[in-house]
Amino acid sequence: MKCHRVNELIELLHPEWQKEPELNLMQMISKLAEEAGYEGQLDALTDDVLIYHLKMRNSGKDEMIPGLAKDCENDFKTAILRARGIID
């Protein structure tokens, strides 16, 4: 894992962990994995699962994932013109 991903994970994890300080680190990670719907072994849990779950944990059910929202076009015509390189 790269340093920036470690920093991002810690930055996202810190405020959520402060809400439940009685949990140790493994309990918190296990809880987050369960909330995210992860069913595998914890040692195979990727940082991506934790990062995206923490980013989306307190958002509405219908909200888009931040990485996808920036590329979303509400208008089909604009999306086609942008995909063809006609507009920026």
Side-chain angles (χ1 to χ4, degrees), residues 23-59:
L23 299 178
N24 66 41
L25 179 59
M26 289 308 296
Q27 289 171 326
M28 188 66 188
I29 290 174
S30 179
K31 179 178 180 171
L32 293 170
E34 185 179 317
E35 286 176 7
Y38 181 77
E39 296 177 353
Q41 296 290 328
L42 280 182
D43 62 350
L45 180 67
T46 64
D47 55 323
D48 290 328
V49 171
L50 291 172
I51 289 170
Y52 280 103
H53 179 64
L54 286 164
K55 283 183 177 182
M56 299 300 295
R57 189 174 194 212
N58 297 317
S59 62

Side-chain angles (χ1 to χ4, degrees), residues 2 8 13 18 24-25 27 30 32 41-42 48 67 69 71 80-82 88:
K2 305 277 186 208
E8 182 179 14
L13 181 61
Q18 283 184 321
N24 66 41
L25 179 59
Q27 289 171 326
S30 179
L32 293 170
Q41 296 290 328
L42 280 182
D48 290 328
D71 296 326
I80 293 293
L81 293 173
R82 192 174 311 278
D88 289 330

Side-chain angles (χ1 to χ4, degrees), residues 73 75-88:
E73 290 288 345
D75 176 34
F76 182 73
K77 181 179 176 184
T78 303
I80 293 293
L81 293 173
R82 192 174 311 278
R84 291 183 179 170
I86 297 172
I87 61 174
D88 289 330

